[in-house]
Amino acid sequence: MTTTAALSRYADLPALIGLMEGDEKHEGAAHSTLDVLWVLYDRVLTVTPKTAGHPARDRFLLSKGHGPASFYAVLAAKGFLDVPTLRGWRAFDSPLGHHPDRVLVPGAEIGSGSLGHGLPIALGTALGLRGRDVRRADGTAPRTVVLVGDGELDEGSNHEAIAVAGRLRVEGLTAVVVDNRSSAHGWPEGIGTRFETEGWISREVDGHDHDALYTALTAPHPGRPLSVVARVRPKS
């Protein structure tokens, strides 16, 4: 059961994250995604705890599933999780693992943590919604947004998904790439070029600038999938 969180503002997120101890190894990974996650759930995604099972909801897929403390904190702030659940996240009977489990975590669309899976799953989700012509009451189509890390793009499965999405012009798909410069191989002329070469619209912004993120995520991109490269600073 979920309730409306008393701690429900962006300013409350550090306190919510502070309730979860024992994953210091992934503290940097959690920090890098915090602002993107907040902007998505606070200003972009059309999904709430009450509509989390609705066929026409927006879908958010966390492919960068290691270090999920920020994801859990945002879900708690938005009422998907009860805040006390965060305190016991490492307990044997806790639904919150070191990688999110869609069966146990309200609001989680996929089980994640094995890098390279999220973008292909998101592509399949977006294609399924398009094939069934799923629409909201106002006639708009739901979005599928996936968050990946720059290092994760070294996985070949992502390259295949990028190529297919561009060729099939999957407008309902958005990939947010959190770029903390952890990629082993990188990409000539930058991450955005990789997507643009395959037919995507690509935008690059400061991953801590909420207004820039919102604009990049919501500006029209008719007939093409969207990639947003969010540059982030390592936690000092």
Side-chain angles (χ1 to χ4, degrees):
M1 181 180 70
T2 59
T3 61
T4 301
L7 301 171
S8 58
R9 304 167 302 157
Y10 174 76
D12 296 323
L13 296 179
L16 291 169
I17 293 173
L19 297 176
M20 294 173 280
E21 299 178 350
D23 194 22
E24 289 76 11
K25 174 183 177 182
H26 290 126
E27 184 178 355
H31 172 77
S32 70
T33 62
L34 182 62
D35 293 293
V36 172
L37 288 166
W38 178 256
V39 171
L40 283 168
Y41 277 91
D42 190 55
R43 301 174 63 181
V44 177
L45 297 173
T46 304
V47 63
T48 67
K50 291 183 178 180
T51 63
H54 195 283
R57 72 190 182 278
D58 285 343
R59 274 93 168 156
F60 172 73
L61 283 64
L62 180 67
S63 187
K64 186 179 169 68
H66 51 290
S70 290
F71 182 50
Y72 293 154
V74 171
L75 289 178
K78 291 300 177 181
F80 290 87
L81 293 172
D82 289 324
V83 171
T85 305
L86 302 180
R87 292 187 180 277
W89 84 299
R90 299 180 66 216
F92 175 76
D93 58 350
S94 172
L96 309 181
H98 285 275
H99 296 91
D101 185 330
R102 74 171 187 86
V103 176
L104 300 176
V105 180
E109 295 283 355
I110 60 171
S112 57
S114 185
L115 299 182
H117 290 176
L119 184 51
I121 295 172
L123 171 59
T125 301
L127 284 172
L129 291 169
R130 187 173 77 172
R132 291 184 284 123
D133 195 26
V134 175
R135 299 277 171 173
R136 290 189 269 263
D138 63 1
T140 59
R143 300 179 63 178
T144 301
V145 180
V146 58
L147 190 155
V148 304
D150 62 316
E152 185 177 354
L153 292 179
D154 290 341
E155 302 286 347
S157 54
N158 284 307
H159 182 74
E160 294 174 357
I162 292 168
V164 171
R167 284 159 176 74
L168 296 181
R169 302 178 70 86
V170 187
E171 182 181 344
L173 176 62
T174 296
V176 182
V177 183
V178 173
D179 180 13
N180 61 2
R181 295 170 294 283
S182 64
S183 174
H185 302 298
W187 195 258
E189 300 181 22
I191 294 171
T193 302
R194 178 175 189 176
F195 286 86
E196 290 172 347
T197 299
E198 300 296 347
W200 294 54
I201 295 290
S202 185
R203 299 163 184 155
E204 185 170 336
V205 297
D206 181 340
H208 302 294
D209 185 327
H210 291 193
D211 289 337
L213 283 164
Y214 175 77
T215 298
L217 287 162
T218 57
H221 50 99
R224 297 167 71 180
L226 171 66
S227 74
V228 175
V229 180
R231 305 182 311 273
V232 297
R233 300 180 294 275
K235 184 178 176 61
S236 58

